[in-house]
Amino acid sequence: MLKKPFVTKDQLEAICEKYPTPFHLYDEAGIRKTARDLFKAFSWNKGFKEYFAVKATPNPTILKILAEEGCGTDCSSLTELMMSERCGIIGKNIMFSSNDTPAEEFIKCKELGGIINLDDITHIDFLKETAGIPDTICCRFNPGGVFELGTDIMDNPGDAKYGMTRPQLTEAYQRLKELGVKEFGLHAFLASNTVSNEYYPELARILFKVAVEIKEETGVSLSFINLSGGIGIPYTPDKEPNDIFVIGEGVRKAFEEVLVPAGLGDVKIFTELGRYMLAPNGHLVTRAIHEKHTHKEYIGVDACAANLMRPAIYGAYHHITVMGKEDAPCDHKYDVTGSLCENCDKFAVDRMLPKIDKGDLLVIHDSGAHGFSMGYNYNGRLRSSEILLKEDGSTKMIRRAETPADYFATLEGFWD
C-alpha cells in the first residue's frame, strides 16, 4: 500500500509555475476535516476543547483555520503567545505548557488570560513572585517509570524532564488552593507519536484515577483534564492510521467508569494535538536537480534538512512519491539527498523508488507538522515558502521564502 498525495501531478505542476520549489504545501480541506472529526469523536464531552500545538506548524493562517473549527492554541514560548494574540486567540483559548520558563513568558500569558500549565512544583513560588497566581491553573504530572500498553513499551516518562511526581502533585494542589486558585486542571504526556487506538483511553484512565485521588486528598475537584498530544500518524505506508472515533469512545468509557461515579462527571476534556492534526495534511514539494553514480545511486533535490530535519536528526521515515510515476515499479535504489555539508542530509537511504529523472517533482509526505517549524539556516540555507491549497482548489502563499536580506538582517550594523 502506498501513500497518495492530496494533489495530482498536473495540479502540482501548475502550482510550481507560481511558486518555485522547494515549498511546504498544506491541504485546507484535510485540515478542516481532521478538526471536525476530532470534535465529533469527543462531542459526548460538553466542554471538549482542542488546543493545537503551535510548535508543530506555527503559521497564522493555519491557526486561524483551526480557530474557525473551534480550536485554541497550545503555546510554549513568548513568540508563540504573541502569534496566538495576533491571530485573535486569547484568554482561555490559550494553554501555556512550557518548562524552564522565563518570567516574561508567564507574565505575558497571564496578561492574555491564558491557562498556565505548571511543569514543576518550584514554579509555584516563581509564578507568584513574577506574574502572580491566576484564578485558573493546571499542573503537569509525570508518573515516572515506563509507559506500557500490554507488552509493548511505548515511552519512558521517567527519563523525561517534564512534570511533577505524584506526591508533588498533591502538594501543589494544596498549595495552590491556599493561594486562592479557584479552577484546577491536570495534564500529562506519557508517549509520543503512538499509532494505537489504546493510548489515549489508557492515559485518560490513569489521569481520571489521579483526579479522584486528588479530590479525596485535597478537596480539589478538577475542572478539566488535558490529555495533551501523543496521538500519532503512520509515517510508513504499511501501518493503519489511528481511528479518532474509536479513541474518543475509549476515553468516554473510561470517563463513565472512573469520573462519573466519583461525582466528577462535569470535567472537561482537553487535547493538544499537533502532529495528528497537521502532519498528513502537509507535503514538502521538491524537484530532482542532480543524479550521482558513485558507490551508491544518489538523487539530489533542491530541498534539504533545513526544510525538513526529521530524517537527518532522527533517521525518521517520510514516504516519497515521484509525481507522475505513482504506478511505475519501484525498481531503483536511491539515497535522496539535500545540499547541506552534512552526510545525514538525506530524505531517504537505500529507498526503492521508480526511476527518477532530473526535473521530476517529488512529494515528501507527512511534513505538515514539525516540518517547516524545525527549519534552520545552517550553511546559510534559506527556509522555503509555505503554500495553502484552499478548499476551492486555488492556492495562497501563507509565508514567503526567506531571502539573503533576511539572513543578514541581524548583522546590520555589525559588519565593521
Side-chain angles (χ1 to χ4, degrees), residues 354-376:
K355 183 180 185 302
I356 299 175
D357 299 300
K358 285 188 285 186
D360 280 347
L361 279 173
L362 277 61
V363 159
I364 301 177
H365 290 254
D366 301 318
S367 68
H370 310 293
F372 181 94
S373 66
M374 293 177 71
Y376 61 126

Side-chain angles (χ1 to χ4, degrees), residues 7 12-13 15-16 19-25 283-290 299-305 307-308 319-323 336-339 345 347-348 356-365 367 384-385:
V7 283
L12 201 52
E13 290 286 8
I15 293 170
C16 289
Y19 312 108
T21 55
F23 55 80
H24 284 272
L25 182 68
H283 295 331
L284 174 57
V285 179
T286 184
R287 198 179 288 276
I289 58 173
H290 290 287
I299 293 295
V301 297
D302 57 8
C304 65
N307 306 112
L308 179 63
H319 197 68
I320 296 175
T321 296
V322 184
M323 300 302 287
V336 180
T337 67
S339 59
D345 183 19
F347 294 110
I356 299 175
D357 299 300
K358 285 188 285 186
D360 280 347
L361 279 173
L362 277 61
V363 159
I364 301 177
H365 290 254
S367 68
S384 69
S385 62

Side-chain angles (χ1 to χ4, degrees), residues 74-83 96-98 105 108:
D74 161 34
C75 300
S76 56
S77 69
L78 179 62
T79 49
E80 290 181 357
L81 287 169
M82 293 169 69
M83 181 178 287
F96 185 59
S97 298
S98 62
E105 300 187 2
K108 181 64 174 178

